[in-house]
Amino acid sequence: MGAAFVIGAIGFGFGLTTSPLLLLFLDPQTVVIVINAVAILAFSLVLVEAREHLRNRELAPMAVAAVLGTPIGVFALSTLDASVLRIAIGVLVLVLTAMVVFNAEWKVPYPRISGPVLGFISSASTTGLAIGGPILVLFFLGRRMDRQGVRASMAFFFTIMYIAAAIGYAIQGLFTTERLILIATSAPAVAIGYWIAVRLTGRMNERIFRPTVVVVIFISSMIVIVRELISLLN
């Protein structure tokens, strides 16, 4: 519900918000698969709401690149060591969060080339680690998109990518009964969280909200990294 609220409010941060906390209770594979599955619902809702702000010509090559990058992420998810994966997710969360915090406006060089490349990288990292949105957020900000444009573009890209990822997970046999139950029970909370965000977004003070989200992400990521490092040392 909290992650869906973040998606509804600012258009990204589903994996960043949920993965550090869920890694305290669930194994990395389950965290990534559940997050990416329920994210289909969250981003589909955003896409329906903000579809008028889409730049289809610019997004189409990036979507194709996202589909091509999906198998790499699925392969990494099914083969990497659990502790290594937890630490990798935690470190990547911290790096990408720092990128979001310090996202000064900049102009994207060669967007027709860099867009698909970043789409490929974002797809692989999101499919394998449930994290990758901030990379694209920085790209879209560099394209001088407004808030609604960023939300619509992120929703278009990730809806296609998450559907491709779900197909890959199914082919690899990663949808266990436990994971399907978690997905089914999380979906209603996602819908409620998004509905709340839509109702409150117009009155929300984003200057306060975004730093709060960053602080929560930072603390939970550090907990995961420290815990796993202590476990490896012992």
Side-chain angles (χ1 to χ4, degrees):
M1 186 184 297
F5 182 87
V6 173
I7 290 295
I10 60 179
F12 71 99
F14 202 95
L16 283 171
T17 307
T18 52
S19 57
L21 295 176
L22 291 181
L23 283 170
L24 299 176
F25 309 101
L26 301 171
D27 65 275
Q29 271 197 359
T30 298
V31 170
V32 173
I33 292 167
V34 171
I35 288 175
N36 288 351
V38 297
I40 296 174
L41 173 59
F43 282 105
S44 295
L45 292 171
V46 178
L47 184 58
V48 172
E49 177 203 343
R51 61 186 181 278
E52 296 179 356
H53 299 273
L54 285 174
R55 297 182 183 179
N56 294 323
R57 289 185 178 181
E58 185 170 343
L59 291 172
M62 297 179 65
V64 173
V67 174
L68 295 177
T70 297
I72 296 177
V74 174
F75 175 77
L77 179 64
S78 60
T79 57
L80 289 179
D81 176 78
S83 293
V84 173
L85 193 56
R86 284 192 181 98
I87 295 174
I89 291 174
V91 172
L92 187 57
V93 166
L94 292 179
V95 172
L96 295 180
T97 302
M99 291 172 65
V100 173
V101 171
F102 298 107
N103 66 73
E105 292 191 4
W106 56 287
K107 186 176 181 180
V108 175
Y110 307 106
R112 293 184 180 180
I113 299 175
S114 58
V117 170
L118 290 177
F120 183 90
I121 295 173
S122 179
S123 174
S125 61
T126 303
T127 307
L129 301 176
I131 303 162
I135 298 173
L136 289 183
V137 171
L138 293 175
F139 173 80
F140 293 137
L141 289 175
R143 297 293 291 153
R144 301 295 189 268
M145 288 187 183
D146 58 16
R147 176 176 171 273
Q148 290 298 335
V150 171
R151 291 177 73 244
S153 299
M154 294 290 288
F156 177 83
F157 179 89
F158 279 111
T159 298
I160 293 175
M161 191 215 65
Y162 283 131
I163 291 174
I167 295 172
Y169 297 152
I171 293 174
Q172 289 291 322
L174 297 176
F175 283 122
T176 63
T177 301
E178 177 191 11
R179 290 166 182 169
L180 290 174
I181 292 174
L182 287 171
I183 292 167
T185 54
S186 299
V190 169
I192 293 171
Y194 180 80
W195 180 83
I196 295 173
V198 171
R199 294 298 181 276
L200 298 180
T201 296
R203 295 174 292 180
M204 181 181 58
N205 187 337
E206 196 165 320
R207 291 183 179 179
I208 297 176
F209 175 73
R210 290 186 63 170
T212 301
V213 172
V214 169
V215 170
V216 172
I217 293 170
F218 176 81
I219 294 175
S220 55
S221 299
M222 288 301 301
I223 291 174
V224 170
I225 293 172
V226 171
R227 187 187 68 173
E228 291 304 318
L229 288 175
I230 292 175
S231 176
L232 288 175
L233 292 175
N234 293 335

